[in-house]
Amino acid sequence: MANPNGIGASVRRREDARFLTGRGTYTDDINRPGQTHAVFVRSPYAHARITGIDAAEAMQAPGVIAVLTGADMEADKVGSLPCGWQIHSKDGSPMKEPPHFPIARDRTRYVGDAIAVVIAETREQAKDAAELVMVDYEELPAAVTSLKALEGGAPLVHDDVGGNVCFDWHLGDAAAVDAAFAQAAHVAKLDLVNQRLVPNAMEPRAALGEYDRATGEHTLTTTSQNPHVIRLLMGAFVLGIPEHKLRVVAPDVGGGFGSKIFHYGEEAVVTWAAKKVGRPVKWTAERSESFLTDAHGRDHVSHAELAMDRDGNFLALRVSTIANMGAYLSTFAPSIPTYLYATLLAGQYKTPAIYAEVKAVFTNTVPVDAYRGAGRPEACYLIERLVEVAAAETGIDKAELRRRNFVPASAMPYQTPVALQYDTGDFAKNLDIALPLVDYDGFAARRGESARRGKLRGIGFATYIEACGIAPSNVAGALGARAGLYESAEVRFHPTGSVTVFTGSHSHGQGHETTFAQLVSERFGVPIENVEIVHGDTSKIPFGMGTYGSRSLAVGGSAIVKAMDKVERKAKKIAAHMLEAAEADIEVKDGRFVVAGTDKALTIGDIALQAYVPHNFPLDELEPGLDEQAFYDPKNFTYPNGCHVCEVEIDPDTGVVQVVSFAAVDDFGRVINPLIVEGQVHGGLVQGIGQALYENCVYDEDSGQLITGSYMDYCMPRADDVPSFTVRYHEDQPCTHNPLGVKGCGEAGTIGASAAVMNAVVHALSEYGVTHLDMPATPERVWQAIRRHTPAQAAE
Amino acid sequence: MYAFTYHRPKSVADAVALLGQFEDPKLLGGGQTLLPTLKQRLARPSDLIDLGQIPELQGIREEAGGLTVGAFTRHAEVAHSETVRRVIPALASLAEGIGDRQVRNMGTLGGSICNADPSADYPAAIVALKATVRTDRREIAGDDFFTGMFETALEPGEIVTAVHFQKPDKAAYAKFRNPASRYAIVGVFVAVFGSEVRVAVTGAGPSVFRADDMEAALAQDFRADALNGASVSAAGLNADIHASADYRAHLVRVMARRAVEACG
Ligand SMILES: Cc1cc2nc3c(=O)[nH]c(=O)nc-3n(C[C@H](O)[C@H](O)[C@H](O)COP(=O)(O)OP(=O)(O)OC[C@H]3O[C@@H](n4cnc5c(N)ncnc54)[C@H](O)[C@@H]3O)c2cc1C
């Protein structure tokens, strides 16, 4: 009988009951006896010298316990926030890595940079006192956009980083690309901007520091996607606290989208301050503070060229990108526009030669780092826009042009010219499923019908591939990662047969408590309600690299499988002993341990009980207990891929774009919980549509003030902005190198959607001769594009 | 938010009395603008006087062929009122299009017009529907009420008690909303009273204004195409990251056409 809660079942998310009824426990919900509150004094200037800080009046304010500054941290030898990835420039020199102190010392480099922290009995008292901290600033000119920061004579964000260039890196074979371009029958070119985004997790960041004088143990409770990583970075590099005296807990976390991977200064400040003031210290960001201080995403300016032969076969791709790093290097910032971006520029195509150059630039803005998709949406957007331009210019149907250039399934495993080796994927199949789903052949008729209503209609594709499950530690290490990228798990059977699984992955919206429990239920026939998933606490979990890059199931889930393998081996031994059979004769069938060829069988529950009541165990050969740990380090990335097709209708009178249909056909390898996968795809698509049509982080180009600092100006996509999605997946191309055959689904929607939407928008506008539009395709931008291309109206 | 003292008077007279007692009091309507302002510490009133428990400020009733709406009537109440839908359906649909559900369930007519946000919707109705704004001390013609960006004809401490809207022969409101805030980037209220046509434009300029050319054109010939020659100059219109002055000027005409078409 199939397990109703096993692999492939759409089990409803077990964690949702708690979240939907307000019973989740988020960092800000946790209050400790004697707790104090921290409020940061933040820089109102994008760039200024700090010439003095006078906290005397603030110290006198009611309830104030301490006002601490960068100088206090310096006196305590607090270090700089470390960067977890090192890139080397073309000339072999290491990237520029200026210090990034949790509280600025003599200079502030973006609006929102921390200048001081006020700790008081209540939050309101801390806020009142923060207004009384007198900071003397000497304002400096700011370099706000990446392009301006690169101009000669631009203000220097860091005095010792000439030209504001963090690194100037490249990948691929420039000579082969030049040679191919020389042979090309046609070259398609495109300049494009991948605009900056604010991540906007529903739960703002928060951190609670505690110090136990009796044991000397520090505890940080924080909104993190990877508490062990924070323990390592903060403990070893910033505060100098060894692991055994530092516990980091990430309880329920309300969304991250990447922005909660990084080690932020506030975490170090509350941990440090808790010892200093001798009481717990809590900080919770307000939404406007989140806008100013959460690491932002994207922010690329690129030029791309695609060389083709007469038949539209891609010969070579040349890309040059300027990536904005913000004022300092956030934890993984350098890896995003390099190894998570340029390595994906082959896309689904067998382009034989690719060369990419990436210049990373410091600016007077908040740091930029991974945001859902992290580099891969930027790559997908660039390739898929360029392919669509190529299709329009050559007159080859855009589906056909893609098909002609796909890496065929028969070529798998396929080594791309940009470092990655795809293991599986049948790109033509994705397209074959998608085309009838969207009635591609009927598009012309639909366009005609729209035209009769005075509307423009367009259809656009994105055939994407991404690299997930980051990654094999040896590969990551070779590429500059200063960490390994494995995952750990522990599967603990209790005497009565219930199970606790400890995972190094971290769930902040992904539904691990359900999916991971399904793995255990399937394997051992344990009812799902008897399986508990524990995550997010360094004192409970062996180790954890955390959740990002759609890695939880592929890496964390595989670690659970490895631990279950060990449990099974041990259980077989115990079964053999109990059933007086040879270990080799024990078979596992439907979760039962059977002596081959007999009806003698035990359930895992029977075995677990014996494991903890070992009255007559042969103790020389068999240890009591049924509790196993495993670390899993993957052999390769996983490569989710798919075909997204978007159809839009545009009102030429106003420029409003409406997404009228969206179909996503994805290959995520094996699917454990289709309901959760579909939910991840839906959320991802909305985020991708958000970037294409609505979201845009705008700083004033001169002053560096954040103009889109609230939802009044920063436009989030809402339910009524998107259509009902058509989502399909197939499981014919399982990942070949992890035990579950899974690839990951957390970012795919975001990676494909922006390109599909923009391709549809440009297609709709093509009758006016529009060939490209930068995101977001706001009503005014669309209207202006129409106007520019309509002689009569332009003259008006 | 800075600390303040909270008051909940039961009558307009009590509210007026309270206003006179304190150093820096502030009236609280639905709080949709005032509370965010306080949370961001952009205002520091000594006392907040909540108008929510005053029966005189509540309710919707027919009066003199038109409608009288109490100042503390929430947008959702206007949107769902059978009376409003019957007498001036365009007003109900305007209210239905304000912000989002949460905002409509809290925000009030009085708060909206006293705040006089240049992109608020109600100002267009006040002007187009020849409204009269009633206060604790006088009546103010709708045409005179809005005096500039976030500015009204109200004196300090004056409380709006109700608004009387005249019933038009036909009317419609067309709004182009800001995709982020959902306020009006441009909103055009067209109302016909006999031979008089009013075209009130909100969102586009510093304050609501009447589009004279359009009114004249429509008075001649009440069809959308009559607006083809009429236009609004971009000079002096608002410009921000969402819409330039040119785009707003263009949208005024598009929304005016749509409002005329919706008038039937
Ligand atoms: C997200 C969001 C979206 C919105 N979208 C729209 C939109 O699309 N269209 C639109 O028109 N509006 C919109 N609004 C505004 C909202 O609908 C309210 O009308 C507005 O915020 C003020 O009304 P209130 O009742 O909340 O007043 P409050 O915020 O309580 O008060 C506003 C001001 O009016 C004063 N005041 C209140 N009542 C009186 C009175 N009776 N007499 C004298 N003074 C008074 C207060 O002292 C204060 O100065 C939006 C608001 C938000 C937060």
Side-chain angles (χ1 to χ4, degrees):
Chain A
M1 194 187 67
N3 182 339
N5 296 313
I7 289 177
S10 284
V11 181
R12 288 201 176 194
R13 301 204 331 169
R14 306 195 298 166
E15 46 272 72
D16 284 349
R18 143 170 129 252
F19 295 147
L20 296 176
T21 55
R23 292 188 180 90
T25 303
Y26 299 90
T27 297
D28 190 57
D29 294 326
I30 298 168
N31 293 300
R32 299 296 186 213
Q35 173 177 296
T36 65
H37 297 264
V39 165
F40 285 85
V41 177
R42 297 194 179 275
S43 173
Y45 298 111
H47 199 188
R49 208 164 273 129
I50 304 166
T51 53
I53 300 177
D54 179 357
E57 200 186 338
M59 278 304 297
Q60 299 305 313
V64 172
I65 296 159
V67 180
L68 302 170
T69 65
D72 296 311
M73 292 196 111
E74 191 171 4
D76 282 359
K77 301 200 165 43
V78 172
S80 159
L81 302 173
C83 181
W85 203 295
Q86 189 179 42
I87 297 294
H88 285 83
S89 287
K90 291 171 187 171
D91 63 7
S93 61
M95 68 185 188
K96 302 291 190 304
E97 226 174 321
H100 180 192
F101 295 113
I103 297 182
R105 294 194 177 164
D106 45 14
R107 199 136 126 210
T108 157
R109 292 186 171 82
Y110 65 94
V111 173
D113 212 350
I115 307 296
V117 61
V118 177
I119 296 165
E121 298 290 343
T122 71
R123 205 177 147 66
E124 290 304 312
Q125 287 173 333
K127 289 189 80 167
D128 287 344
E131 291 180 357
L132 301 175
V133 176
M134 294 301 149
V135 185
D136 291 325
Y137 296 100
E138 187 185 311
E139 202 182 347
L140 299 169
V144 179
T145 66
S146 58
L147 294 183
K148 287 211 167 157
L150 285 175
E151 283 172 5
L156 290 185
V157 180
H158 300 274
D159 293 341
D160 50 356
V161 181
N164 292 316
V165 176
C166 173
F167 58 79
D168 183 4
W169 171 92
H170 65 166
L171 180 70
D173 185 339
V177 167
D178 290 346
F181 268 85
Q183 305 285 311
H186 184 81
V187 174
K189 298 182 181 179
L190 188 59
D191 286 298
L192 75 180
V193 174
N194 202 296
Q195 84 272 30
R196 190 179 181 110
L197 301 176
V198 180
N200 284 302
M202 202 182 286
E203 179 205 18
R205 287 190 296 118
L208 169 60
E210 295 170 73
Y211 178 67
D212 185 333
R213 246 181 244 287
T215 61
E217 191 179 297
H218 299 260
T219 303
L220 168 67
T221 307
T222 181
T223 48
S224 176
Q225 303 178 208
N226 31 234
H228 281 86
V229 175
I230 303 304
R231 186 182 68 172
L232 178 65
L233 296 175
M234 185 176 82
F237 297 93
V238 186
L239 298 180
I241 307 169
E243 281 95 336
H244 68 293
K245 292 294 182 193
L246 175 57
R247 175 181 175 197
V248 179
V249 183
D252 284 333
V253 173
F257 310 117
S259 70
K260 292 174 183 166
I261 299 172
F262 326 121
H263 175 36
Y264 287 93
E266 293 88 353
E267 295 171 321
V269 169
V270 297
T271 307
W272 166 74
K275 182 173 179 188
K276 244 183 144 50
V277 304
R279 291 167 63 180
V281 178
K282 185 200 272 186
W283 166 77
T284 302
E286 299 194 336
R287 182 56 68 181
S288 22
E289 210 173 1
S290 303
F291 271 98
L292 286 175
T293 67
D294 289 359
H296 290 169
R298 319 270 194 260
D299 205 342
H300 285 194
V301 179
S302 298
H303 175 75
E305 301 182 352
L306 177 65
M308 286 172 281
D309 70 12
R310 214 166 302 284
D311 302 319
N313 294 306
F314 302 164
L315 302 177
L317 174 69
R318 190 187 277 148
V319 175
S320 122
T321 291
I322 295 165
N324 192 341
M325 297 280 99
Y328 307 98
L329 288 180
S330 172
T331 312
F332 288 113
S335 66
I336 311 304
T338 51
Y339 291 107
L340 288 175
Y341 166 69
T343 52
L344 270 304
L345 286 170
Q348 299 191 345
Y349 311 110
K350 54 184 196 279
T351 317
I354 298 176
Y355 178 68
E357 296 175 287
V358 178
K359 205 176 262 186
V361 183
F362 287 114
T363 61
N364 290 112
T365 61
V366 76
V368 179
D369 205 327
Y371 168 69
R372 200 172 191 172
R376 291 151 289 161
E378 294 91 316
C380 172
Y381 179 64
L382 180 138
I383 307 160
E384 293 303 300
R385 279 292 303 125
L386 188 58
V387 167
E388 209 105 342
V389 167
E393 288 177 359
T394 57
I396 302 172
D397 174 80
K398 49 200 176 194
E400 171 53 28
L401 182 65
R402 287 181 163 87
R403 195 187 293 278
R404 205 171 284 180
N405 286 285
F406 280 155
V407 175
S410 60
M412 297 293 169
Y414 174 75
Q415 177 62 50
T416 73
V418 274
L420 299 179
Q421 192 185 73
Y422 301 160
D423 63 342
T424 54
D426 186 342
F427 310 137
K429 174 165 183 163
N430 300 337
L431 189 65
D432 289 341
I433 298 173
L435 290 180
L437 212 56
V438 300
D439 183 21
Y440 187 55
D441 295 337
F443 175 75
R446 292 193 296 282
R447 186 177 235 187
E449 191 275 327
S450 293
R452 281 192 288 284
R453 287 183 286 109
K455 300 285 172 67
L456 311 169
R457 202 177 185 98
I459 189 165
F461 289 81
T463 49
Y464 76 90
I465 184 161
E466 52 157 335
C468 287
I470 53 176
S473 295
N474 59 357
V475 176
L479 302 182
R482 288 164 168 166
L485 284 160
Y486 44 82
E487 198 50 274
S488 86
E490 180 176 340
V491 175
R492 179 181 301 166
F493 271 84
H494 302 292
T496 63
S498 63
V499 190
T500 305
V501 176
F502 301 87
T503 170
S505 296
H506 185 278
S507 193
H508 34 277
Q510 293 86 349
H512 297 169
E513 289 171 45
T514 306
T515 306
F516 288 180
Q518 286 177 255
L519 299 179
V520 179
S521 184
E522 170 86 21
R523 180 74 173 262
F524 294 117
V526 182
I528 196 164
E529 55 278 12
N530 291 357
V531 184
E532 191 69 23
I533 306 296
V534 176
H535 63 90
D537 185 340
T538 60
S539 72
K540 294 180 180 162
I541 316 296
F543 203 82
M545 290 309 297
T547 288
Y548 41 83
S550 306
R551 70 196 299 274
S552 295
L553 191 58
V555 191
S558 295
I560 294 173
V561 172
K562 293 279 175 198
M564 290 196 297
D565 290 346
K566 292 185 183 175
V567 167
E568 187 178 295
R569 280 202 289 278
K570 174 87 177 274
K572 275 186 175 170
K573 282 199 170 88
I574 299 173
H577 164 68
M578 288 169 67
L579 298 171
E580 297 176 333
E583 198 186 318
D585 290 340
I586 304 292
E587 288 175 351
V588 185
K589 266 195 193 150
D590 301 331
R592 287 155 57 85
F593 291 74
V594 186
V595 180
T598 73
D599 58 0
K600 290 208 283 182
L602 292 171
T603 66
I604 190 80
D606 303 329
I607 295 169
L609 184 61
Q610 284 295 318
Y612 290 96
V613 191
H615 283 162
N616 58 1
F617 262 31
L619 293 170
D620 289 342
E621 297 148 38
L622 198 53
E623 274 178 38
L626 193 56
D627 182 355
E628 299 287 348
Q629 230 184 67
F631 279 66
Y632 175 76
D633 198 330
K635 291 192 189 65
N636 190 354
F637 288 95
T638 60
Y639 298 97
N641 59 86
C643 175
H644 290 184
V645 193
C646 175
E647 214 163 297
V648 300
E649 200 171 72
I650 295 177
D651 177 351
D653 288 339
T654 59
V656 170
V657 176
Q658 198 193 344
V659 177
V660 289
S661 79
F662 201 109
V665 176
D666 296 298
D667 163 12
F668 298 136
R670 192 144 68 126
V671 169
I672 308 297
N673 183 323
L675 187 66
I676 289 180
V677 166
E678 196 169 336
Q680 290 289 311
V681 173
H682 280 217
L685 293 178
V686 174
Q687 239 162 337
I689 292 171
Q691 173 163 23
L693 298 181
Y694 309 110
E695 298 185 44
N696 194 12
C697 174
V698 183
Y699 279 95
D700 182 90
E701 291 206 4
D702 298 316
S703 69
Q705 296 295 328
L706 181 62
I707 294 177
T708 51
S710 83
Y711 295 124
M712 299 305 269
D713 287 308
Y714 189 90
C715 184
M716 294 295 283
R718 323 225 184 143
D720 62 353
D721 290 321
V722 295
S724 186
F725 300 122
T726 306
V727 174
R728 299 280 187 279
Y729 62 89
H730 69 81
E731 297 180 278
D732 308 354
Q733 301 287 323
C735 171
T736 54
H737 57 78
N738 65 44
L740 290 165
V742 299
K743 297 184 176 180
C745 70
E747 295 159 296
T750 312
I751 290 168
S754 306
V757 174
M758 289 311 292
N759 282 336
V761 168
V762 174
H763 183 228
L765 297 174
S766 60
E767 52 188 86
Y768 289 90
V770 174
T771 55
H772 181 67
L773 204 61
D774 278 324
M775 299 187 288
T778 60
E780 169 146 27
R781 273 196 191 164
V782 171
W783 176 74
Q784 295 283 14
I786 292 173
R787 196 159 77 139
R788 266 197 310 278
H789 289 83
T790 315
Q793 287 196 18
E796 196 183 310
Chain B
M1 208 177 264
Y2 297 105
F4 53 82
T5 307
Y6 175 79
H7 307 271
R8 199 158 58 188
K10 294 282 191 287
S11 70
V12 172
D14 286 353
V16 171
L18 283 168
L19 277 173
Q21 280 172 32
F22 307 110
E23 193 187 322
D24 189 12
K26 194 101 184 121
L27 298 169
L28 176 66
Q32 295 303 288
T33 296
L34 188 52
L35 293 185
T37 310
L38 297 184
K39 283 186 181 173
Q40 292 176 72
R41 299 189 152 214
L42 298 173
R44 188 174 201 162
S46 62
D47 295 78
L48 271 197
I49 301 166
D50 186 343
L51 300 177
Q53 303 288 316
I54 301 178
E56 302 148 79
L57 299 183
Q58 315 263 357
I60 297 167
R61 62 178 195 279
E62 284 188 75
E63 184 188 322
L67 279 177
T68 299
V69 181
F72 202 89
T73 309
R74 316 244 190 215
H75 308 327
E77 292 173 63
V78 174
H80 301 145
S81 156
E82 284 308 321
T83 311
V84 180
R85 287 182 175 187
R86 177 166 45 78
V87 181
I88 314 178
L91 190 61
S93 80
L94 174 147
E96 182 79 64
I98 292 175
D100 52 44
R101 205 174 282 265
Q102 288 87 337
V103 167
R104 291 194 294 274
N105 283 336
M106 292 302 292
T108 66
L109 170 62
S112 174
I113 66 170
C114 294
N115 192 49
D117 191 303
S119 42
D121 295 299
Y122 269 126
I126 299 276
V127 170
L129 294 175
K130 303 206 261 188
T132 305
V133 178
R134 294 181 185 154
T135 76
D136 61 316
R137 60 196 76 159
R138 59 180 170 150
E139 294 199 338
I140 306 171
D143 285 342
D144 303 330
F145 187 79
F146 298 100
T147 54
M149 196 179 267
F150 297 107
E151 280 172 15
T152 66
L154 292 172
E155 294 161 3
E158 190 168 4
I159 301 179
V160 171
T161 54
V163 175
H164 180 260
F165 296 96
Q166 297 191 28
K167 177 179 161 54
D169 301 333
K170 51 187 176 184
Y173 179 64
K175 170 180 182 176
F176 188 82
R177 66 186 189 186
N178 179 320
S181 71
R182 304 213 160 175
Y183 272 91
I185 280 181
V186 165
V188 179
F189 205 118
V190 173
V192 180
F193 296 89
S195 60
E196 181 186 3
V197 178
R198 286 196 163 213
V199 178
V201 179
T202 191
S207 181
V208 60
F209 63 88
R210 289 171 62 184
D212 307 333
D213 280 7
M214 292 186 173
E215 290 185 353
L218 291 170
Q220 293 269 315
D221 178 8
F222 193 79
R223 287 184 311 118
D225 282 345
L227 294 171
N228 284 348
S231 68
V232 165
S233 160
L237 295 190
N238 302 336
D240 53 35
I241 58 165
H242 305 285
S244 63
D246 273 354
Y247 182 50
R248 278 190 161 89
H250 166 78
L251 287 174
V252 170
R253 192 163 60 170
V254 176
M255 292 302 120
R257 285 186 66 99
R258 287 184 185 175
V260 170
E261 278 160 7
C263 280

